[in-house]
Amino acid sequence: MVQPSADGNAEFLTGQIAPHRIVTLSFRLPGKIVERAVATGDQVHAGQVLARLDDTEARQTLRAAGADAQAAKASLAQATPLQKRATALLPDQAISRNDYDEAILRYRTSQQAVQSTEARERIAREELDHTRLVANADGVITDRLAEVGEVVAAGQPVLRLAEATGRDAQFDVSGDLLRAGLATGATITVCLDANRHICADGTLYELAPDADALTRTYRAKVLLQAPPAAMTLGAVAVGRLDARNASDIHLPPSALTAQDGKPAVWVVASDTMTVTLRPVEVSRYAANDVTVASGLKAGERVVTAGVQALYPNQKVSLLDDADVRP
């Protein structure tokens, strides 16, 4: 006789505490590293300078661009009164058309030169700023990937920063859990393996779409809500995934058969002791247990042995109530 039961439905997962967001920092320009102001494990703040490239060439470029901008502004300062004077004289024909056109052309050329040189100066100033590697957020340095004196390319990883935006618990889950309906949004209680009294609730927000090639498990990431300070990065964690459906029914795998390619069981009528094949929905398969989510009711009897030899309306007899697994 089957009975709903939540026993055994809780799942325990083993994983580790990880940063919710980790960023690899790099320079936007190539160059030689002349300073690294932080080491692995250092706490940093947004806007803090972490490392610096040799900026000699960038400063020279900025000085040259600034000089060009000043020269262009001086030329514009000379061309402006000439343009105004020519504009005033033209209606009285006190200036030739050629001289007027030349004054206007010089003025417009000076304007464009100012805009161009100012743009180059802004670019040169930005490139000088890019010789400094700045933290984009508060966090902790988890790894250094380049040393002082090393020549790095633009975009080459230099430091790795774990942002102080929260903590994750990461687990490798089996395909059985996914087939049982595990999905993002599930609530998981996470505790430290070293101290099961240090716990935090978390929400499953990411499930890997494909299995790991070696372990054939799926990476699951849980965002912890207000994790204790003791949940340090890399600490071993244990997650408890509570049962989502306390009305599930558990059967031995031998009770299952198939109808039109779908799972089914033989249900025994209590009055006639005849069997009827009934389709069921299986939420989880295990080596010694099958979880039935729907298709059976509490109190019904199910055949658990010799199911392949049965046919509809066949009479059966029960050896003993102990032979029927709830």
Side-chain angles (χ1 to χ4, degrees):
M1 183 178 298
V2 297
Q3 294 293 340
S5 173
D7 294 339
N9 278 4
E11 292 288 342
F12 290 91
L13 310 170
T14 302
Q16 64 178 358
I17 304 299
H20 179 59
R21 188 163 181 255
I22 191 165
V23 179
T24 300
L25 303 176
S26 59
F27 290 103
R28 297 187 183 185
L29 303 174
K32 180 180 180 181
I33 300 176
V34 296
E35 180 186 359
R36 178 173 52 79
V38 294
T40 302
D42 286 354
Q43 297 283 340
V44 299
H45 303 285
Q48 180 177 341
V49 177
L50 308 178
R52 214 167 39 83
L53 293 177
D54 181 6
D55 60 2
T56 303
E57 184 177 349
R59 289 187 180 277
Q60 291 175 349
T61 302
L62 178 58
R63 282 196 294 268
D68 290 343
Q70 290 299 324
K73 291 177 182 178
S75 178
L76 178 61
Q78 291 179 343
T80 300
L82 295 178
Q83 179 264 342
K84 292 181 179 179
R85 187 179 303 114
T87 302
L89 294 175
L90 183 62
D92 297 332
Q93 297 183 352
I95 186 175
S96 68
R97 188 70 189 188
N98 288 340
D99 290 342
Y100 170 80
D101 291 342
E102 183 178 350
I104 296 299
L105 178 61
R106 180 179 177 183
Y107 172 74
R108 291 177 179 174
T109 301
S110 298
Q111 279 186 319
Q112 294 172 355
V114 169
Q115 294 174 357
S116 176
T117 55
E118 285 181 341
R120 287 199 296 270
E121 186 179 16
R122 286 194 299 269
I123 293 173
R125 185 172 290 107
E126 289 177 358
E127 289 186 347
L128 179 61
D129 290 340
H130 291 163
T131 61
R132 301 182 306 154
L133 185 60
V134 178
N136 63 312
D138 294 347
V140 59
I141 300 299
T142 60
D143 198 6
R144 67 174 190 264
L145 307 172
E147 299 295 338
V148 174
E150 185 174 346
V151 177
V152 295
Q156 179 179 333
V158 174
L159 295 168
R160 190 165 286 124
L161 171 68
E163 294 187 2
T165 55
R167 290 284 185 268
D168 281 359
Q170 296 185 359
F171 303 100
D172 292 325
V173 301
S174 66
D176 287 341
L177 281 178
L178 270 66
R179 288 187 289 271
L182 180 64
T184 55
T187 299
I188 298 179
T189 301
V190 179
C191 300
L192 289 180
D193 183 57
N195 188 341
R196 298 297 177 91
H197 297 291
I198 300 177
C199 302
D201 289 334
T203 303
L204 178 63
Y205 72 91
E206 181 178 311
L207 269 175
D210 54 352
D212 181 87
L214 182 62
T215 64
R216 308 310 300 169
T217 56
Y218 297 81
R219 176 56 57 94
K221 296 182 180 181
V222 178
L223 177 60
L224 301 178
Q225 302 169 9
M231 285 189 170
T232 56
L233 297 179
V236 178
V238 176
R240 176 187 172 91
L241 181 63
D242 292 328
R244 295 173 299 281
N245 188 357
S247 64
D248 285 347
I249 292 173
H250 297 268
L251 297 175
S254 60
L256 279 189
T257 183
Q259 182 182 35
D260 298 328
K262 297 181 179 180
V265 296
W266 290 103
V267 180
V268 181
S270 58
D271 52 351
T272 63
M273 297 302 294
T274 58
V275 294
T276 303
L277 190 61
R278 183 185 299 174
V280 295
E281 180 182 349
V282 177
S283 61
R284 184 187 175 198
Y285 294 90
N288 300 311
D289 184 87
V290 174
T291 304
V292 177
S294 63
L296 291 175
K297 298 179 181 178
E300 291 183 317
R301 293 184 181 274
V302 173
V303 179
T304 60
V307 296
Q308 303 302 328
L310 297 178
Y311 55 85
N313 298 320
Q314 181 179 357
K315 286 195 173 184
V316 296
S317 60
L318 299 179
L319 296 179
D320 194 282
D321 284 345
D323 295 329
V324 181
R325 181 176 174 180

